Amino acid sequence: MDYRSIDFSLRDGVATLVLSRPARLNAFTAEMHAEIRDAMDRVEAPDSGARVLVLTGAGRAFSAGQDLSESDAGAAPLDVGATLERNYNPLLARLRALPIPVVAAVNGVAAGAAANLALACDIVIAARSASFLQAFAKIALIPDAGGTYTLPRLAGLPRAMGMAMLAEPVKAEDAERWGMIWKCVDDADFPAAVEQLAAKLAAGPTGAYARIRRALLASPDNDFDTQMALELALQREAGAQADFAEGVHAFLEKRPPRFSGR
Ligand code: T3D
């Protein structure tokens, strides 16, 4: 498939998907969703070699969320649920199930569904000039793309409620301070920081990362005993992987590990 709304590359284990409609701040269209589905097929292919997926935006924005020119049905009522059903919900579910880490490299404003897409990623790194905007209330909608699940868990209920109802941008450094994202870095350092982060994850223990994600995402909904049982099961699996043996050998031999991702 030829891409018009995204760019995609896969090199050295790093899959990079760039939302790329800069004149519309990379707003999501049906075409962009179709291209993302195609790129995700490539990432998920068993022989893809992808060990980390980086999502980012072209130009000055990460993405302004849904392209509202596609949401204008004129006088007819629009089934907004259909857009979620067809596009956003499957995408979010797919990212969450991906057996490799997903990084949101938030280069600029992330609004609406794009803010929640970014916040659902495993690691969110943002340029200092970036911001997160729950724009939905401005157009009389509610946060979607997992926002009502993610926001209270990341930021606590008072901040989630404020962000959702007031629809004011949250600066990247506030998002970091509130514990919503991993890190905010100066704009000049952002490209190198993203590259280093992606390279580190691509060389890491991929299977352990997938199990870390499963355990941490399950945690808020589990009681202590259930979580301990989950840890036990996942740790047993992790301990049976070649990467665990390599990690231990490397430690004992005082050398850096060479993880294969298996
Ligand atoms: O089907 C459904 O609707 C359901 C799905 C819902 C999911 C959602 O994501 S709902 C939320 C949709 N997003 C928004 O409401 C955000 C709208 N955009 C903004 O609030 C602002 O653009 C930003 C705060 C993101 C950035 O502001 P600023 O001042 O830096 O840029 P700008 O001038 O507003 O935008 C630049 C251009 O991008 C402009 O076009 P122009 O005037 O240069 O021709 C603007 O119209 C366009 N643009 C920005 N956001 C969107 C958009 N065009 C279409 N859809 C957009 N979401």
Side-chain angles (χ1 to χ4, degrees), residues 1-255:
M1 181 186 238
D2 288 335
Y3 298 146
R4 298 189 333 160
S5 300
I6 66 167
D7 292 313
F8 178 77
S9 63
L10 209 172
R11 272 189 291 277
D12 301 327
V14 180
T16 306
L17 195 164
V18 185
L19 306 170
S20 189
R21 301 179 66 233
R24 284 285 166 272
L25 303 188
N26 309 322
F28 283 81
T29 56
E31 177 184 80
M32 181 187 275
H33 277 289
E35 293 180 5
I36 291 173
R37 279 193 287 275
D38 187 82
M40 290 295 291
D41 288 345
R42 291 167 65 181
V43 172
E44 287 169 353
D47 58 350
S48 77
R51 291 176 64 183
V52 59
L53 171 64
V54 179
L55 302 177
T56 192
R60 70 180 176 91
F62 177 75
S63 165
Q66 174 64 24
D67 189 315
L68 294 176
S69 65
E70 287 196 354
S71 306
D72 180 7
L78 182 81
D79 181 3
V80 175
T83 317
L84 301 183
E85 215 166 13
R86 190 167 50 246
N87 294 323
Y88 292 100
N89 288 11
L91 173 58
L92 268 289
R94 219 168 159 179
L95 289 171
R96 204 174 157 99
L98 206 62
I100 59 174
V102 183
V103 173
V106 181
N107 52 303
V109 62
N116 293 332
L117 173 77
L119 293 173
C121 293
D122 298 319
I123 297 192
V124 187
I125 182 166
R128 197 166 300 281
S129 63
S131 58
F132 297 82
L133 173 61
Q134 297 295 322
F136 307 89
K138 287 188 183 182
I139 52 169
L141 289 182
I142 71 163
D144 58 23
T148 59
Y149 181 91
T150 309
L151 291 172
R153 283 169 168 77
L154 292 181
L157 196 53
R159 281 176 170 149
M161 208 64 95
M163 284 187 276
M165 288 191 176
L166 303 176
E168 292 171 2
V170 174
K171 289 181 192 156
E173 53 200 18
D174 290 333
E176 182 192 58
R177 198 164 46 83
W178 293 0
M180 288 172 57
I181 65 170
W182 165 241
K183 203 173 266 187
C184 158
V185 299
D186 289 339
D187 288 22
D189 301 330
F190 182 72
V194 172
E195 202 176 314
Q196 276 168 23
L197 175 62
K200 178 170 184 169
L201 291 169
T206 313
Y209 291 150
R211 292 180 183 89
I212 288 169
R213 178 209 282 148
R214 263 185 71 190
L216 290 180
L217 289 180
S219 173
D221 300 317
N222 280 344
D223 62 28
F224 186 72
D225 290 341
T226 309
Q227 191 64 22
M228 293 281 279
L230 179 63
E231 275 181 11
L232 190 157
L234 293 173
Q235 197 70 301
R236 179 167 279 148
E237 286 176 17
Q241 305 300 305
D243 274 348
F244 170 60
E246 165 61 11
V248 173
H249 287 149
F251 176 78
L252 295 176
E253 291 163 14
K254 300 189 187 302
R255 61 169 173 82

